[in-house]
Each structure stands twice: as structure tokens, then as C-alpha cells.
Amino acid sequence: MTDWRARARAMVRRQILGRDIPAGIVTEAMADLPRHRFVPVELEAHAWEDGPLPIGRGQTISQPYMVARMTWLLGVGPGDAVLEIGTGSGYQAALLARMGCSVVSVERIAALARQARSVLTDLGLAVTVVVGDGREGYAPSAPYRGIIVTAGAEELAPAWSDQLDRGGRLVVPLRVGPGTERLLVRARTEGGFVDAWEDYCRFVPVLPGVDES
Ligand code: SAH
């Protein structure tokens, strides 16, 4: 796909800036990412559409707008340490790396982690992809300025709050009722935590344990 930059710019203009995300580091980094590289070859032509796409193993790459929205809510910038739970295709991690963040991403399905690593390396993006159960966070690189969970959680894992730096933010789609999830933004202050509820959303679930196949 030789004309991907034009497609990326159009996607950002229509789907991201056209909604409520202001121009800035998130939209610039997104316009500079070949999203088609993060979807299965047979779906490349659909990579720029306004929705999620299947990436195999029953998982999905999120809708571009949702990626932008969560990244914007995370409020991170160059040099910030960020932890992602749910690497999937690697697209969200790539966006954070393109923004200059220092990114660790945890994925429970080894095959997806391998595929994401390969694309990220190919694009020259330095992301540490770890195979593990993201409910434990990733203690060796903690604390983080931002923690972004890109799968739907039944409950908040204590590790996410524990591994958050003071002044940092956690963004997580949390189950709030049957079939209903909502983005929770938790800010860590000097004194404790401040929670705010944002968009309703729909994600594949956070599952326990590691799948080594
Ligand atoms: N951020 C991804 C989208 C991820 S879909 C992207 O940009 O493409 C959600 C991912 O979370 C799936 O790949 C799923 O396997 C993973 N996941 C679910 N439960 C997990 C857990 N406990 N630990 C780590 N990853 C998990």
C-alpha cells in the first residue's frame, strides 16, 4: 500500500479531528502510522475504516477513534513510561511509541505477541512486548505515568493502581452492568486516587492466565 499516508491523514481528519479530539501529539502520531500493517493481509484494504477489525484468535484491533480517545485521556507525552495491557495487533503500542513514550505492552496470547513484535521491529518502534497475565501489570518497569487497558475488565486489578506513578493516569474499560462497559480514568494524586467516568464502550474481555500457543 503505497498511498497509506494519504489514507492515514484522511482517517485522522474525518474520524478523529472530526469528532472531539483536538489536533496535537495524538493526531500527529496517528497520521504517521501505517495502520494496514497491523491487520491481517486480507483485511488491509479495510484498515482505515471507522471500526474495529478481527486480528485472529477471536481478538480485535480497536476502532481508530477509540484508540485516539483513550490515548488522549491517558494524557502522556514524550519520555513518559507507559504500560499497555492487551497488545493485540500492537497498533496502540505503536501509537504510544510514535508519541515518544517508553512503552511496555503485555499480551496473554503468545502468538499475537510474536506477530506484534515483528511488525513493531519492522517499523523501528522500540516497544517491549511481554507475554503474561496483564492483571498483574508489569512490576519490573513500574511505576508508570500511564497505564492503558485495551480489553474489557470485570474489575480493577490492584496491580494497575499500585504500579501507577503519582501524577499518572490509568484508563480502563470497566464492566458497569450486563453487556455494558464504560471507560474509567483514574488519576493518582499525592493524596490518593481520583476517578472519572467517560465513554460507554465495548471491548473483548480481559481473560485470566497465559495462552502459550
Ligand atoms: N490494543 C490492541 C487491541 C487489543 S484487543 C490493538 O491495538 O490492537 C485485547 C487484547 O487483550 C487481546 O489481544 C487479548 O488477548 C488481550 N488480553 C486479554 N486478557 C489479557 C490479560 N489478562 N493479559 C494480557 N492481555 C490480555
Side-chain angles (χ1 to χ4, degrees):
M1 194 175 285
T2 49
D3 59 343
W4 71 264
R5 285 184 181 280
R7 293 185 193 222
R9 276 197 301 273
M11 177 190 84
V12 168
R13 192 173 60 246
R14 294 187 193 127
Q15 300 175 31
I16 315 294
L17 295 168
R19 294 194 175 122
D20 56 354
I21 312 290
I25 185 170
V26 176
T27 55
E28 277 163 27
M30 215 164 193
D32 199 26
L33 267 189
R35 181 169 161 96
H36 63 285
R37 296 290 308 278
F38 296 87
V39 305
V41 181
E42 63 276 17
L43 293 179
E44 271 192 10
H46 299 278
W48 313 95
E49 291 172 4
D50 190 14
L53 287 172
I55 55 169
R57 306 297 295 263
Q59 307 305 319
T60 53
I61 177 174
S62 302
Q63 178 197 23
Y65 173 74
M66 188 49 70
V67 174
R69 174 78 177 140
M70 290 176 79
T71 308
W72 190 76
L73 288 169
L74 199 62
V76 292
D80 287 340
V82 178
L83 174 67
E84 180 194 23
I85 308 302
T87 314
S89 69
Y91 180 69
Q92 171 74 68
L95 177 62
L96 291 161
R98 200 42 119 227
M99 288 165 57
C101 301
S102 168
V103 188
V104 176
S105 184
V106 183
E107 171 56 55
R108 65 176 290 279
I109 301 177
L112 291 181
R114 276 196 299 275
Q115 169 64 20
R117 248 184 230 129
S118 138
V119 179
L120 290 163
T121 306
D122 220 44
L123 296 175
L125 295 166
V127 173
T128 304
V129 178
V130 178
V131 176
D133 185 342
R135 295 175 310 166
E136 293 161 18
Y138 187 68
S141 305
Y144 303 96
R145 184 80 187 179
I147 300 181
I148 180 168
V149 182
T150 59
E154 286 282 323
E155 56 193 14
L156 281 182
W160 300 337
S161 300
D162 293 347
Q163 293 175 17
L164 199 58
D165 205 354
R166 284 183 179 73
R169 275 191 209 167
L170 164 69
V171 177
V172 50
L174 204 59
R175 193 185 121 104
V176 289
T180 314
E181 291 160 19
R182 198 167 175 187
L183 290 181
L184 174 71
V185 179
R186 164 167 285 195
R188 184 164 198 170
T189 64
E190 284 303 325
F193 297 98
V194 178
D195 290 348
W197 291 102
E198 301 289 345
D199 321 30
Y200 286 91
C201 53
R202 198 74 197 258
F203 280 80
V204 294
V206 168
L207 295 175
V210 166
D211 180 343
E212 291 291 353
S213 62

